[in-house]
Structures are given as C-alpha cells and as structure tokens.
Amino acid sequence: MSEPLIGLDVGTSGVKAIAISPDGELLGTAEESYALSTPRPGWAEQDPEDWWLAAQSCLARLPDGPLGLSGQMHGLVVLGDGGRVLRPAILWNDQRTQAECEEIERRVGFERLVALTGNRALTGFTAPKLLWLRRYEPDTYASIRHVLLPKDYVRFRLTGERVIDAADASGTLLFDVAQRRWSGEVCEALDIPLEWLPPSFESTEVAGAGDQAAAALGVGIVAPGPLSVVLGTSGVVFAVLPAYAPDAQARLHVFCHAVPGTWHAMGVMLSAAGSAAWLRRSLRADHAVLDGEAAAWEPGTEGLLFAPYLAGERTPHPDPDARAAFTGLSLRHDRGALWRAMLEGVAYGLRDSLELLRSLDATPEVGRVSGGGARSELWLRIVASVLGLPLERMESEEGSAFGAALLAGVRAGVFADAAEAAARCVRARDRIEPDPAWAELYARGYDSYRLLYPMLRALERR
C-alpha cells in the first residue's frame, strides 16, 4: 500500500490535519484549537508558538507521509536573529492599519499597485502591518531579519526552511502577481528590505498554499470553468482566470493560484455563515427549525431584504464601516421570514462577486460548494437560483487540508500535476439545480438588493 498523504491547515481558530490515500480516501483526522487575542478593539493577534504546538499534536496522531501545508493568509510573523519570534503575529482580520493602507496607495499609486499586485491596500494584508510596526514599534521593526506567513512559520519549525509559495505570497501586497515574484518596485517604494522575504516557489514545488487556493484545489478548481463557492463564516466566490487580469477598481482579489502558471480571482464577503450564526443566536433556535420555518415563505419574503454587512464588507464594497440592516419589514413577517431574508441576502452578496468575476472573463459552468452553510438544503437551493448555476457538494468536506494533501502528493511524485491529483481524488457527492421560478424572482430581488448599500451609507453619513 502506498504511504498516506498528509495535509495540515493552520487556521484562525485551530490546526486541522488529515491523512488521505493516493485515491482521496480519508484515513484519519486530527484537530487542535487555540485562542485569538484581541488586546484592543479591532486588533487580532496570535502566538506562533500556539500554531507550532497544535501542529505537533495533530501530526503525532496521524501516520507519517509526504506533508502539504495550507493556512490563514496575510498574517505577519516577524523573526529576529536565530529565528526568534519578535512579537505576536498580526492576523488577516486585524483592522488597525487603515492609515498605513492609505500611505501605501499614496506611495505606490493606486493604479500601479493594482497592476503589480492585483489588489488595493486593505487592512488585512501583510504590507500595511509592516508599516504599522515601523511607526508604532520601531524597536521591534529594527530587529526584524525575516518575515513569514503563518503556515510557513510552522514549516520553518518543522524543517528549518524559510520559503513561501506564490499563492500565499500574493496576499502580502509585496508580490508581483503577474510575474510571480517579489516586487522590487513595491518594496523600494515602501522601504521594505527584500532580504527579509523568503524565496518564493510554486505551490507544487513546496507543497503549500494559502487556505483559499488550497481549498479550491481540494474541490477540483484547477482550470477555468468550475467555480468554488464557500459558505463559511465569510463567503468566497473563486474562479481560475484565463490570464492575469486584475479588476481596475480592485473590488476582487487577484492572486496566483496553487496550480503553476495560473491565476485566480475571488470575491470575499465578510459575513456569510457568520450572518446565520448571528441570527440563529438572536432568534434562539437551531438551523433545522429555522430552515423549516423559512421554507414556508415564498422567495423574496414579500419584499423583505437583508444587507449582510455585519462586520463591514470587502467585495464589492471595500468598506470596514458598512453595517447590516433588514428593510421592508411588515406585521406579517415572523422569524422564518427573517431567516429566509438573511439566506437570500447572503446569496445576493455572493452574486455581487460572481458578476465581477464575469467582468474578468470568467465563464463558470458549475459551482462547487463547501463550508458549514452547505449543510442547508434550503440555502443551497436559494444560492443556486440566485447565481443561476448548479451547485455540487463534494465527497470530501476537509477543505484546505485536503488541498494541502494533494499538493503533498504532487511534490512527492504520486501525481504528475495538480490536475491529475484532482481527477483522482475529487468526487462530487450530489448536485443542486437552480429553480427556474425562483431564479426569475431573485433576478428582480437582486436589482433591489443592489440599492441597499448606497442607501445605508447615505443614512450613516447624515
């Protein structure tokens, strides 16, 4: 029997590791959680030692085999002499760097930044965090010798190597995404030493990728055509592009994909299943009960709309100050109506990203859906009808760790390339088709939904 392939994902709430066979059969799993530190409002940090301890614990419970790594993107790990961690890592969901983002766009120029990196400066990215350290923790900044991202710190502890893959490096705002290498121009404009940054490779060369690229590989997104739709805490719509093509307004993220020589674009809404978790807590009922009550309402819930901006928004509105709202409430609306309007509002938010992807010449034929929200049959039927695409659920629900295991197999020579890995190991479990009658109603509902954001922002400015 061939040795198993191991995938390890360094997430925000914990580490997950899996072992699979070369045919994609799940052989074992292990998970370890850790805390998130919020020392001030809007801050988010973690101790890299927690990742390392959790990774060790997970790997000890699985068989040995080729290892692939995925992980939360954008987090800043700074090392001093001897590989010493200088301070807690600043994570992707940290919001302290708005002034530094404005400084980056001023120094580089907005259009030039987007052309080089595929993105605008956002608070979650790595580069603004370095500028923040330089301004507010100059002693720490002066001690920096190496910069790593979360999963690559775990790799460093495992192997002593300081390397990164193009997919994860794309999220630093220091990477020339078109040329798939560090950007000397951006680093010079920001006065960030290139020697701090680890050598970059393709994901298949080092068996590593950022979590979204790894998760997309794990559901077989290796070329233009299928779309990855993630109904996690945040919502992601992800497509491989026929060529490097950033959105001129940077409303989408454009990164190198884990498949060499390819790029992907993705829209990210910050509160997808997060909206469901918030409303379920507020209504004090479980998902199954609320889905049953929501199913009694017709699509559109008699004009009730939900704007899902509970934590600000990223796509298509890069606005950390955006806020959520229900509009169109009447005496007839009950908690089932609220629940259905929430499900529909998130689906409309995903549609925003899909329309932007189409503007970059993405031509999706089917969506492959994952995340906790994919367990709701009603929600999947709504999303399929709003997007106008059939949705497939895959046999494996192991997400980024599964994609990391496939990368381990490519690096080890078990698979010739990422396409063969997906063909051998990724299989659909079922398929949800759009409802034609619902799709017609939702087309009109989406037109109304698109009016919500400018209306809400106008009210907030008064």
Side-chain angles (χ1 to χ4, degrees), residues 85 95 169 174 226 238 245 253 261 293 322 417 452:
V85 175
Q95 298 291 327
L174 300 171
F238 177 117
H253 301 316
E293 295 178 4
D417 52 27
L452 287 182

Side-chain angles (χ1 to χ4, degrees), residues 168-376:
D168 215 358
S170 297
T172 62
L173 214 65
L174 300 171
F175 203 67
D176 186 329
V177 176
Q179 302 300 320
R180 307 176 82 88
R181 64 191 182 200
W182 294 113
S183 173
E185 181 178 339
V186 172
C187 288
E188 181 179 0
L190 303 182
D191 296 320
I192 293 174
L194 270 170
E195 59 266 25
W196 286 359
L197 306 175
S200 65
F201 298 88
E202 293 294 343
S203 289
T204 50
E205 294 178 298
V206 293
D211 53 2
Q212 292 299 330
L217 175 59
V219 295
I221 310 297
V222 297
L227 191 76
S228 173
V229 179
V230 181
L231 282 171
T233 300
S234 58
V236 177
V237 182
F238 177 117
V240 177
L241 298 175
Y244 176 69
D247 174 55
Q249 298 177 53
R251 293 165 296 180
L252 295 166
H253 301 316
V254 177
F255 295 148
C256 298
H257 192 19
V259 180
T262 66
W263 292 264
H264 71 80
M266 65 179 182
V268 180
M269 58 181 299
L270 296 181
S271 297
S275 292
W278 163 78
L279 189 55
R280 181 187 59 79
R281 289 193 304 270
S282 300
L283 298 177
R284 299 182 181 180
D286 65 32
H287 290 90
V289 170
L290 291 168
D291 271 6
E293 295 178 4
W297 283 86
E298 291 296 316
T301 51
E302 298 181 2
L304 181 60
L305 288 169
F306 175 66
Y309 310 134
L310 289 163
E313 193 52 291
R314 185 173 293 183
T315 303
H317 313 295
D319 183 357
D321 298 320
R323 290 296 177 262
F326 283 101
T327 66
L329 283 164
S330 77
L331 290 172
R332 282 176 47 78
H333 289 127
D334 56 17
R335 69 179 188 177
L338 293 173
W339 186 254
R340 181 161 192 137
M342 179 277 299
L343 300 178
E344 293 172 346
V346 171
Y348 291 141
L350 297 172
R351 171 76 178 270
D352 278 338
S353 294
L354 175 60
E355 295 304 320
L356 290 173
L357 288 170
R358 285 176 169 148
S359 74
L360 298 183
D361 295 327
T363 54
E365 305 157 355
V366 64
R368 292 179 178 169
V369 64
S370 60
R375 299 187 184 98
S376 168

